[in-house]
Every structure is written in C-alpha cells, then in structure tokens.
Amino acid sequence: MGKKILAILLVATMVMAFTACGKKRTVTGMQLENAQFALNEYCESYPVCTNIGEKYICDVTKDGNPDLCTDFTYGSGMVRTVVVVYDVANDTYYVLDGHSTSYHIDRVENDKLYVVEGEFTFDINENSYVAHGTTTSGIVKFKKGELYFVAKK
C-alpha cells in the first residue's frame, strides 16, 4: 500500500513538473513596474549614458507579453541614440543600434513601436531630441532574436 501511494505521488509530481515547464509566462503590472528600474540600470551600464528616454509598453517580440521599451543616448566620441527593448517575461534585452545612425522612439500605435532613424542630439533645455539632417520614420520588427528597423513606405 505504501509503495503504491509513493508511486502515485511520484507520477503526479512528474506530471506537474512537465506541464509547468510548458506553461506560458505572463507578465504582471508589478513586474512591469519593477522592470523600469532594471531597464534604467541596463541603459546606465553603457559608457557615458547621458539620457534615458520615456518608457513605452509594446509587444515587440510578439510572444503575447508586454515588452518595456525606451531609447537612450550614450558615447563620448561617437555619440548615438539607440532603442532598447526589454523582454520582461524572458529577462532579455534587445538593442537597435545602427552604430553610425541613431534611433529615437516616436510612439506606440496599434502595438507597433514607431521610431525615427537619423542623427539626433538631446537638447537639455527643451528636454527633447533634435534631428540634424535627413530622418526616416519606420517601425521596429523582431526576427530571430534581433531588432530591425523597417522604413515606412
């Protein structure tokens, strides 16, 4: 009798363990709130991080969970603005960095992250980005673990 109960408990434990592994992760409002601090720390880890932009919520990774997005300016010789998407459910950061091109978040609309590609500087007095030269508007796409800029047609 004791072995039978032990076997049943063992099987039940295994079933619960295997079904829990396949369970989809969901992000709560509290996790998103805490993620803002983690996202700031991530941005500040870049050399000479001078500005962290507004936070946006958008499912860029298309996993059914909200991602936390921002842009930030960093660098001293080659200063640029990049977009970072924090996949809170998987605790993973993705960066859209053109190296010689900057990306600034414009807005989120219909669960799409709209950005502007070009050269920018952050004007402290105006508390906003100022474009220099030609800019291109588009959206951020996520494919095979990377962010891509897709220009609007």
Side-chain angles (χ1 to χ4, degrees), residues 3-153:
K3 289 181 181 180
K4 211 179 226 184
I5 293 174
L6 184 59
I8 291 170
L9 286 174
L10 183 60
V11 169
T13 303
M14 289 175 59
V15 167
M16 287 190 299
F18 287 121
T19 57
C21 290
K23 191 175 183 182
K24 185 178 173 182
R25 295 182 184 136
T26 55
V27 176
T28 65
M30 181 60 91
Q31 286 172 308
L32 277 175
E33 219 172 285
N34 291 333
Q36 291 184 53
F37 298 108
L39 182 56
N40 282 345
E41 284 180 12
Y42 177 82
C43 297
E44 289 167 352
S45 73
Y46 276 70
V48 196
C49 177
T50 58
N51 178 65
I52 300 173
E54 189 176 331
K55 306 295 185 295
Y56 296 86
I57 297 173
C58 180
D59 185 11
V60 176
T61 59
K62 301 300 179 204
D63 64 357
N65 283 299
D67 302 312
L68 195 58
C69 312
T70 194
D71 50 30
F72 67 97
T73 304
Y74 78 98
S76 59
M78 198 169 146
V79 178
R80 60 187 177 266
T81 302
V82 299
V83 170
V84 62
V85 173
Y86 180 26
D87 180 353
V88 179
N90 295 301
D91 193 28
T92 306
Y93 296 90
Y94 302 99
V95 179
L96 178 63
D97 184 353
H99 300 289
S100 60
T101 304
S102 288
Y103 296 97
H104 168 62
I105 297 176
D106 182 38
R107 69 189 184 281
V108 170
E109 190 176 292
N110 298 326
D111 210 29
K112 291 182 182 170
L113 185 64
Y114 285 84
V115 298
V116 179
E117 176 186 64
E119 291 184 39
F120 303 95
T121 54
F122 186 76
D123 185 331
I124 295 173
N125 296 326
E126 295 293 321
N127 195 32
S128 65
Y129 287 97
V130 177
H132 302 282
T134 306
T135 61
T136 306
S137 295
I139 60 171
V140 173
K141 292 274 189 170
F142 182 77
K143 188 175 180 183
K144 295 183 180 178
E146 291 187 34
L147 299 178
Y148 295 93
F149 174 76
V150 178
K152 263 196 318 189
K153 296 178 183 179

